[in-house]
Amino acid sequence: MGKYKHILFDVDGTLVDSYAVDVTSVAEMFDRHMPNHGKTEEDFASLFGIPGRDGLRKLGVAEEQIPDLLQEWEATARTHSDLYKLFPSVLEVLDFLKKMGLQLAEITSRSRGCDMGGPFGKDVPEMLVPYIDRAVCAGDTPRGKPAPDPILYYMEQTGAKREEILFVGDALTDLQAANAAGVDFALASWGYKGKTFPKCKHYLTNMWDLIAVCSEKEREYSLTAQLHSWARELNSLAQAGLTYCKDPFDHERYERLGDLAAQMAAYYVDEQAEVIRKQWLTDGYKTPQLDTRAAIFDDQGRILMVKEQRSQKWNVPGGWCDEDQTIMSNVVKEVREEAGMEVYPKRLIAILDRSKYNTVDTLGGCLKAFVLCSCGTESFESNSETSERRFFAEDELPVENLRTNTNSLEQLKMCFACYRADEWTPIVE
């Protein structure tokens, strides 16, 4: 598991698309009571992310009118409850995160026990109940968002630490609450109505991006790990200098910089600096290598894996992308060579930075492309690369014998999720 243990979600605009309901309902109510109110859709949209009582105050409603108008607002919302809907892939991603062992909770401006109609109009929408462990609602704390109180209350109730929490929301009030509580924030850009993107830890273009965020390995804090990080950066600078410099003295300096980088890296892996230096030397500007992996499923929903001859560990078929190949053509070639099967690429699952999600056994940068493929004709024989081929159900994966530098358990589960999804937006970092 990665850094985060607790994922806190705002509801409206993040999990539930309630924009049309809320804006339509409050606008109709104002039209009935204040026909010349002069409010715009932008004014009504500003209520997102804060409790309804505070929102009405913000719109200038007199304090004595607020209780009655809140009830009327909820009643009006119930007449439009058919407009509520979950954002794409919400249930699939919540199910994935739950199976990862994460604690999922709501930090919502909805009132506890409210019912604005339909399965999505309650404080915890009915379809989310199997996944949400706890909800902090308006009124549970003295102050709501943008104050940190709801998040601090959750921490008090669960014992969660700040560094273990990720708050996912769509509004500036969500970000302000996260910052005030000292926890990381991920912006759900699909529900964000602002004109400029605020500064935060993570930006999510779709729900599936959360899988990459939550699967990222916790950064290793040690001297050797820091040496490795510096070494990679120094080597990249040295390689760029050797590519573009014209002064012979500068060329010597960049050569020496590359040598020092290799010596630093030798503290991180069990290899001589001379060997590392040779591995790192390339023609031209230093860029990451590309590794392609195929996710192939049979008609029983099991994934194909191969056991490597050298490591005797399991991974999905794949390897380095050859110079004359594309991502898709390389996937086809690697499956043919390692698994003895002809496949057809169907959809891109993800492109991920290996250093964030996999154990590292080489020193260079690497991007990993996972591709969902059809299951085709086959004729497997043990070969120089693979000794065995087998299909595994999700609950039968060889967890204790995975080659984790090529595929982690979370990445395999990501492939299963893609296989089961009717629609899929690739996870691209």
Side-chain angles (χ1 to χ4, degrees):
M1 188 184 294
K3 170 184 178 181
Y4 302 115
K5 308 292 190 299
H6 303 261
I7 312 300
L8 313 183
F9 292 95
D10 169 61
V11 177
D12 295 299
T14 301
L15 299 178
V16 177
D17 186 355
S18 56
Y19 181 80
V21 176
D22 284 354
V23 171
T24 300
S25 301
V26 73
E28 287 182 5
M29 186 178 68
F30 267 70
D31 288 343
R32 283 195 296 269
H33 293 276
M34 294 165 274
N36 299 316
H37 55 75
K39 305 294 183 186
T40 66
E41 179 179 330
E42 189 171 333
D43 293 324
F44 296 133
S46 69
L47 305 186
F48 263 59
I50 59 177
R53 185 179 298 273
D54 295 338
L56 293 178
R57 288 194 187 102
K58 184 176 180 179
L59 292 180
V61 175
E63 195 68 31
E64 62 273 12
Q65 293 180 290
I66 288 178
D68 290 339
L69 289 183
L70 275 177
Q71 291 185 10
E72 184 174 340
W73 187 358
E74 285 191 12
T76 306
R78 281 193 289 272
T79 67
H80 297 292
S81 62
D82 59 307
L83 298 177
Y84 282 121
K85 58 183 178 180
L86 291 180
F87 283 104
S89 303
V90 164
L91 295 182
E92 294 88 343
V93 173
L94 292 183
D95 182 63
F96 189 100
L97 297 175
K98 192 75 173 178
K99 289 178 178 176
M100 285 178 63
L102 297 170
Q103 297 294 306
L104 309 182
E106 285 184 5
I107 303 291
T108 178
S109 296
R110 295 186 179 192
S111 299
R112 189 172 300 281
C114 73
D115 186 357
M116 293 180 288
F120 305 123
K122 298 180 180 179
D123 52 343
V124 180
E126 292 175 10
M127 296 180 72
L128 303 184
V129 170
Y131 310 103
I132 299 300
D133 301 301
R134 178 185 300 266
V136 180
C137 302
D140 290 348
T141 57
R143 300 177 298 172
K145 298 177 291 186
D149 299 28
I151 300 175
L152 298 178
Y153 179 75
Y154 175 85
M155 293 168 61
E156 177 185 330
Q157 293 293 305
T158 63
K161 300 176 182 177
R162 283 180 171 83
E163 63 271 17
E164 298 175 336
I165 296 174
L166 177 67
F167 184 27
V168 184
D170 69 292
L172 290 178
T173 51
D174 298 325
L175 172 60
Q176 291 163 353
N179 287 342
V183 304
D184 287 349
F185 181 75
L187 181 68
S189 61
W190 54 86
Y192 179 60
K193 302 301 180 184
K195 296 180 180 178
T196 59
F197 272 62
K199 183 178 180 181
C200 60
K201 183 71 172 181
H202 305 285
Y203 298 91
L204 308 177
T205 58
N206 60 79
M207 277 292 293
W208 291 109
D209 284 343
L210 259 180
I211 294 176
V213 170
C214 295
S215 299
E216 184 174 339
K217 294 184 302 178
E218 191 164 5
R219 187 178 298 276
E220 180 184 349
Y221 291 99
S222 67
L223 178 58
T224 53
Q226 186 60 65
L227 282 172
H228 176 229
S229 177
W230 285 334
R232 284 185 58 184
E233 184 175 359
L234 287 174
N235 179 69
S236 178
L237 293 171
Q239 193 67 42
L242 290 172
T243 301
Y244 297 115
C245 77
K246 297 180 180 180
D247 186 285
F249 296 104
D250 283 342
H251 194 277
E252 290 180 5
R253 296 184 183 99
Y254 285 120
E255 284 278 8
R256 179 56 182 155
L257 187 63
D259 292 339
L260 291 173
Q263 292 174 31
M264 291 170 65
Y267 281 90
Y268 191 71
V269 295
D270 186 18
E271 189 56 87
Q272 295 181 352
E274 293 80 8
V275 176
I276 294 172
R277 186 74 175 111
K278 186 176 181 180
Q279 290 177 348
W280 272 357
L281 283 173
T282 59
D283 294 329
Y285 195 83
K286 187 70 174 177
T287 59
Q289 290 181 284
L290 178 63
D291 174 54
T292 65
R293 295 285 151 182
I296 307 160
F297 292 85
D298 65 6
D299 55 7
Q300 299 178 48
R302 300 177 302 174
I303 194 168
L304 180 68
M305 303 190 74
V306 294
K307 180 183 281 188
E308 291 193 338
Q309 289 278 14
R310 185 174 61 178
S311 67
Q312 287 299 294
K313 293 183 180 294
W314 293 92
N315 56 210
V316 291
W320 295 121
C321 189
D322 291 342
E323 185 181 9
D324 61 344
Q325 301 290 325
T326 65
I327 289 177
M328 298 305 181
S329 67
N330 200 71
V331 163
V332 173
K333 178 184 73 69
E334 289 291 330
V335 175
R336 183 186 302 124
E337 293 174 352
E338 295 185 357
M341 180 180 289
E342 295 296 330
V343 297
Y344 180 80
K346 297 172 66 176
R347 63 168 63 151
L348 177 65
I349 301 173
I351 298 179
L352 304 174
D353 179 354
R354 182 186 59 182
S355 67
K356 293 183 179 179
Y357 309 104
N358 301 91
T359 56
V360 178
D361 64 348
T362 58
L363 292 163
C366 171
L367 298 178
K368 297 181 64 63
F370 290 85
V371 178
L372 182 68
C373 297
S374 64
C375 187
T377 57
E378 53 187 277
S379 178
F380 176 76
E381 293 182 2
S382 178
N383 54 72
S384 60
E385 292 189 74
T386 54
S387 61
E388 191 177 347
R389 184 193 70 181
R390 190 189 308 173
F391 284 97
F392 291 90
E394 187 170 4
D395 58 358
E396 299 172 342
L397 293 170
V399 178
E400 303 300 325
N401 200 30
L402 283 180
R403 190 181 172 201
T404 53
N405 62 308
T406 54
N407 48 199
S408 67
L409 179 61
E410 289 80 11
Q411 288 167 338
L412 292 176
K413 288 182 175 292
M414 173 187 68
C415 293
F416 274 94
C418 177
Y419 167 73
R420 290 191 293 260
D422 294 329
E423 298 181 5
W424 182 270
T425 302
I427 303 170
V428 180
E429 293 194 306

